[in-house]
Amino acid sequence: MKWLGIDTYQEAVIYMRRDCEVCRSEGFEAQSRVRVARNGIEIVATLNVIDSDLLAPHQASLSSAAWRQLDGREGDTIRVRPLPPLESLIALRSKIYGHRLNDEQMYCIIEDVARGRYPNIYLAAFVAACAGGRLDADETVSLTRAMVNVGQRLDWGSAPVVDKHCVGGLPGNRTTPIVVAIVTAAGLIMPKTSSRAITSPAGTADTMETLAPVALDLPAIRRVVGKEGGCIVWGGAVNLSPADDILIRVERPMDLDSEGQLVASVLSKKVAAGSSHALIDIPVGYTAKIRSQHAATVLKTLLEYVAGNLGLAIQVVFTDGSQPVGRGVGPALEARDILAVLRNEADAPADLRERSLTLAGTLLEFCGTAAIGTGVAHARRLLDSGQAWAKFVAIANAQGGLRTPPVATHTHPVCAVKGGRVTAIDNRLVSRAAKLAGAPRAASAGIDLHVMVDSHVDIGMPLFTVHAETPGELEYALSYLDMHPQIVVVEER
């Protein structure tokens, strides 16, 4: 083994010389799928062939992700063998041609996905074959159940164990850390595992990582939850619904987050995390992910059907998705807003505060901790008294220590070219601009909004500020904004 330090995100890749004796004797070619073993650990990797002196004929290297999976040490010997044909490809081809999959076929595919046997091209084929409404309700149940069964499943030994999830599409809607703090301060158990961003400028795990470590293993999660009653961690660091995080790796660049896969992704992680009750937030708005009340109702029905088949009690709520929530869009900027709400700062975003209280209050009522109609008031007392903030600090410290979010090196305000009233803010354009500025990869990057719908502005007043870590990313985002001035619509008085 030779270390080259090549980052392929989460994809396992092995690099070998074309004239390597192993390649020649086994008939390996570029893009072959091979099994790589070291000291009893085996992974599946994609072969990239090298025709230079970067490696000697007797040397091989691994991408950073594969190196970590094998616990690699430079100079160690590895064993490389062909990967046998995958029987699940028969089921995959069937789905590509429009046929429905049964429980056994779906499990076969998802097991191969979770074990790393699918290269990106197969993953992309599966994601595309299931997108656009091509999964029916029973296939979605099969997919969700398979995603749970190929990973670990937690059991907390008590009930209720609560969870909360937003289907996304609303920039800045980072209510989860606030809800976790309030609900655990009320005495409920809430082991929150979250994803990183798929198509958005930040996921809950991305934002929380600017405040505390989130890549905890299962023993660490159990320790934190046992001590504080809750956690806010990255689900990809543990073996809960592992296929989901692999599929997300492909969904992200394809900008796909289809209905059936969304439901399977959300509910498989709730079930695997040992939740008994889950609150699902569906923001509805013209530029949100869910654009109409009809689409929201269809999604609600599917969520309830799948959850019922898996024994999970859920409550689905529709919320306002007409504009971003809070001020910050991007991991560190959203973390700043979270801290302001939890600390009860005078200038904390009121919309983020009230939305979090509503969701926390609904969860308290759903689980019987508060009487019907009193949940929001109970949540407000916990927030106003500082109990929620104290609980958040305790959880962050138990996860490895509370830290200060980073601040961007480069900023640029975008100002109003005319006075009037703000009549619309485009969620999708805000998200796109924040991503072009570097979020979520660059934690401090994003968009800082200074206005909301119905705000009155004068000529030259800042509408929002772009944050970036490099001049090039700042320029890239500003160029995009020049081409899309409708990101904030101002109508003259």
Side-chain angles (χ1 to χ4, degrees):
M1 295 180 71
K2 179 181 179 181
W3 171 252
L4 293 179
I6 300 175
D7 183 6
T8 58
Y9 187 48
Q10 296 176 9
E11 185 178 8
V13 179
I14 184 169
Y15 304 91
M16 300 173 70
R17 282 270 293 256
R18 188 183 305 276
D19 56 358
C20 168
E21 291 184 1
V22 175
C23 282
R24 294 169 61 187
S25 64
E26 296 290 348
F28 290 158
E29 297 179 347
Q31 296 302 301
S32 295
R33 296 289 283 170
V34 298
R35 292 181 292 175
V36 186
R38 173 192 171 273
N39 290 349
I41 305 173
E42 183 174 271
I43 65 170
V44 177
T46 300
L47 175 64
N48 282 8
V49 174
I50 290 177
D51 290 312
S52 74
D53 293 331
L54 192 62
L55 294 172
H58 64 281
Q59 291 178 326
S61 188
L62 297 169
S63 62
S64 300
W67 195 282
R68 287 193 300 269
Q69 291 175 45
L70 277 184
D71 192 23
R73 298 289 186 275
E74 190 154 19
D76 280 0
T77 300
I78 56 175
R79 178 181 176 90
V80 186
R81 295 181 292 166
L83 181 69
L86 299 176
E87 292 185 11
S88 68
L89 290 182
I90 299 172
L92 175 57
R93 292 189 189 99
S94 177
K95 188 60 187 172
I96 289 170
Y97 281 102
H99 302 291
R100 69 177 312 279
L101 300 177
N102 59 31
D103 286 351
E104 183 180 353
Q105 291 171 313
M106 191 70 80
Y107 181 85
C108 191
I109 291 174
I110 295 303
E111 183 182 32
D112 281 342
V113 169
R115 302 294 175 258
R117 297 168 186 154
Y118 269 30
N120 279 352
I121 191 169
Y122 293 177
L123 294 172
F126 178 68
V127 167
C130 295
R134 296 182 182 90
L135 283 180
D136 65 26
D138 289 327
E139 282 181 301
T140 305
V141 172
S142 297
L143 175 59
T144 308
R145 186 177 286 119
M147 290 170 73
V148 173
N149 290 340
V150 299
Q152 298 190 63
R153 186 167 177 175
L154 298 179
D155 183 356
W156 300 98
S158 62
V161 176
V162 304
D163 209 330
K164 169 263 171 194
H165 183 84
C166 176
V167 301
L170 197 58
N173 190 26
R174 203 56 58 211
T175 57
T176 293
I178 301 169
V179 171
V180 171
I182 293 172
V183 168
T184 52
L188 287 172
I189 298 173
M190 191 169 181
K192 179 61 181 163
T193 60
S194 299
S195 298
R196 298 193 184 277
I198 301 176
T199 59
S200 67
T204 296
D206 301 308
T207 297
M208 185 64 189
E209 194 167 42
T210 70
L211 295 168
V214 297
L216 277 62
D217 59 18
L218 284 178
I221 291 174
R222 289 188 180 278
R223 174 182 55 78
V224 174
V225 175
K227 181 180 180 182
E228 300 299 341
C231 64
I232 309 162
V233 299
W234 174 45
V238 291
N239 199 32
L240 302 177
S241 189
D244 184 47
D245 293 290
I246 295 171
L247 293 173
I248 284 173
R249 187 181 78 209
V250 174
E251 290 170 350
R252 187 198 312 262
M254 294 178 71
D255 202 18
L256 281 176
D257 195 6
S258 67
E259 187 178 87
Q261 288 164 326
L262 183 156
V263 169
S265 173
V266 171
L267 297 185
S268 67
K269 290 191 171 180
K270 306 310 168 201
V271 174
S275 301
S276 61
H277 294 67
L279 178 68
I280 311 296
D281 173 18
I282 302 181
V284 183
Y286 181 68
T287 60
K289 179 182 293 184
I290 309 302
R291 300 191 183 190
S292 69
Q293 193 61 49
H294 172 72
T297 302
V298 169
L299 180 57
K300 176 178 183 289
T301 301
L302 182 59
L303 282 161
E304 291 172 340
Y305 179 78
V306 176
N309 274 271
L310 273 74
L312 176 67
I314 68 167
Q315 183 169 345
V316 179
V317 296
F318 301 142
T319 55
D320 178 18
S322 61
Q323 63 177 318
V325 178
R327 290 191 290 269
V329 178
L333 294 170
E334 292 173 16
R336 177 206 62 193
D337 288 352
I338 290 167
L339 293 177
V341 170
L342 286 169
R343 290 169 173 165
N344 291 301
E345 295 176 2
D347 62 345
D351 57 342
L352 178 62
R353 173 185 167 89
E354 293 305 313
R355 186 179 288 252
S356 300
L357 287 170
T358 298
L359 295 173
T362 302
L363 257 181
L364 295 176
E365 293 179 14
F366 183 32
C367 297
T369 300
I372 300 300
T374 67
V376 173
H378 188 21
R380 195 179 302 277
R381 285 193 297 272
L382 292 167
L383 182 60
D384 290 347
S385 67
Q387 290 173 265
W389 168 238
K391 175 57 73 173
F392 181 83
V393 171
I395 290 173
N397 285 333
Q399 289 185 198
L402 183 65
R403 51 199 183 200
T404 302
V407 178
T409 308
H410 303 275
T411 62
H412 190 283
V414 175
C415 301
V417 296
K418 61 183 178 182
R421 183 177 68 90
V422 176
T423 57
I425 300 176
D426 193 308
N427 291 310
R428 294 172 184 268
L429 294 182
V430 169
S431 292
R432 181 63 176 159
K435 289 167 67 176
L436 291 175
R441 176 191 52 77
S444 66
I447 300 293
D448 200 12
L449 293 162
H450 306 308
V451 297
M452 299 175 62
V453 172
D454 288 333
S455 294
H456 289 275
V457 299
D458 296 321
I459 295 176
M461 180 182 293
L463 299 174
F464 55 89
T465 299
V466 182
H467 292 237
E469 291 187 358
T470 67
E473 287 172 322
L474 179 64
E475 183 179 351
Y476 197 20
L478 291 174
S479 297
Y480 176 79
L481 292 168
D482 285 341
M483 294 185 291
H484 297 86
Q486 70 274 28
I487 186 171
V488 175
V489 179
V490 177
E491 292 188 0
E492 292 181 316
R493 299 187 183 94

